[in-house]
Amino acid sequence: MALILMIFSGILVGFGNYCMRRAMIAGGQSRNYILIQLFLSALWTFALGPLAHMQFAISTSTWIYGALTGLCLAFFMKCLGHAMARGPVSLTVAFINASTLLPALVFFLLFGASWGFEYHLTTFIGSLLVLLALYQATQREFKKNTPTTSNTPAISKQLSMAWLVATFGCFFFHTLMLILIQLRAMSLLTELPEHFLLLKSSTQGSEAFLPIMLMSAWLVRLVDTKKEHFQLPIKQEWFFGGLGGFANGASIHLMAIATMVATGLQGAMMFPLYSVSIIITCNLWSALLYKESVYWPASVLAILGIITGTVNWTALLGS
């Protein structure tokens, strides 16, 4: 059950990315789409969390973790909007999902194996496979967009550089988000070392974490948008932003349910399946609907690397 929920959660994220692309193709702006999507996602998670359980007392730590994670989400969404408008969808999504490999290394370096954070050879191999896939796909994209004659304007390559910067921004802020979310979950479930006591979180109002995260991101993007000569959204932005907000909120809700009902074996496979379903969904709609050239060998190699590096093979093999 948990694995099915995570697959659908990833498909919904892929559908949300499709809605963003559709809004921009229709003449909309990514910043307007993001504002609508984040606001509706915040309302969705608030209705299913604090409002549904009538829990409105929120601890200071929940506010802090929610606001910091929301700040990362705001910058991630801004970079995502630029990347989706300037480069290949399949490679952008592969870059973003490669960030799922980094938190394991960060937590191993911070806490060590004594706190349950181990860095296995399979994690290292998976990271290398993902890096190889990204290198191959990036080289192919730059060769494809590089002008072939001296008289040809270098616009394509300049756009590729803008896409690359935006995509690395997505990777960086998505990694920070994952670290903060996992750190908060860890602080709720275990006793942290003394030198990490400032990171301790409280269970009071913990269901408000997601609404706070999303609303914080919305506020940051609202301020940033006003600085960029805000224009009222067009009807396509309202429509696709609404669909994207529903998809994003539903994805988050399904993921929350999956993490609660997952068994040990399912826990080993959840997030790899989530990442893989996002990559496949985005590759399919970009290839079928927009006839974009998807470099499938690199996508398959990235998927293989994510599975190799993030699956809990000990739990999966029962040893």
Side-chain angles (χ1 to χ4, degrees), residues 22-250:
R22 280 296 304 270
M24 289 187 290
I25 289 177
Q29 299 174 330
S30 61
R31 55 177 177 261
N32 284 346
Y33 171 88
I34 290 170
L35 280 176
I36 297 170
Q37 185 205 52
L38 286 174
F39 185 76
L40 292 178
S41 297
L43 291 181
W44 177 274
T45 53
F46 176 76
L48 295 176
L51 185 61
H53 297 89
M54 299 302 292
Q55 294 182 0
F56 303 109
I58 305 171
S59 66
T60 303
S61 60
T62 300
W63 281 105
I64 294 174
Y65 273 109
L68 289 176
T69 310
L71 185 64
C72 294
L73 176 60
F75 287 115
F76 165 75
M77 294 296 288
K78 180 175 183 178
C79 292
L80 179 62
H82 288 302
M84 294 286 283
R86 291 173 170 81
V89 173
S90 58
L91 189 52
T92 300
V93 174
F95 255 105
I96 295 171
N97 284 280
S99 63
T100 57
L101 295 167
L102 272 186
L105 177 60
V106 171
F107 278 89
F108 171 73
L109 294 175
L110 282 176
F111 298 101
S114 60
W115 288 87
F117 295 98
E118 300 179 355
Y119 196 79
H120 299 285
L121 177 62
T122 53
T123 310
F124 177 72
I125 293 174
S127 300
L128 290 181
L129 290 176
V130 170
L131 288 175
L132 178 61
L134 295 178
Y135 174 77
Q136 289 180 343
T138 305
Q139 286 292 102
R140 177 178 179 271
E141 192 64 29
F142 269 84
K143 287 180 181 178
K144 185 175 68 176
N145 288 322
T146 300
T148 56
T149 66
S150 57
N151 296 325
T152 305
I155 295 177
S156 296
K157 191 170 183 179
Q158 291 171 0
L159 288 178
S160 293
M161 285 300 298
W163 164 80
L164 190 60
V165 171
T167 305
F168 272 112
C170 289
F171 179 90
F172 175 75
F173 288 112
H174 193 251
T175 301
L176 284 182
M177 279 176 52
L178 294 176
I179 290 173
L180 284 170
I181 290 172
Q182 188 170 348
L183 183 61
R184 174 183 170 273
M186 175 189 172
S187 69
L188 288 172
L189 299 174
T190 63
E191 288 293 331
L192 294 174
E194 291 185 4
H195 50 289
F196 286 108
L197 285 180
L198 289 176
L199 302 176
K200 179 65 179 175
S201 185
S202 171
T203 57
Q204 184 183 29
S206 60
E207 292 184 342
F209 169 74
L210 290 177
I212 292 173
M213 176 188 76
L214 292 166
M215 190 54 69
S216 298
W218 179 79
L219 288 172
V220 173
R221 293 300 305 130
L222 180 63
V223 173
D224 191 38
T225 299
K226 285 186 175 295
K227 293 180 180 179
E228 298 174 351
H229 307 293
F230 174 73
Q231 297 178 349
L232 287 175
I234 61 177
K235 64 179 182 180
Q236 289 89 346
E237 289 172 323
W238 284 111
F239 178 74
F240 288 110
L243 287 179
F246 173 80
N248 191 50

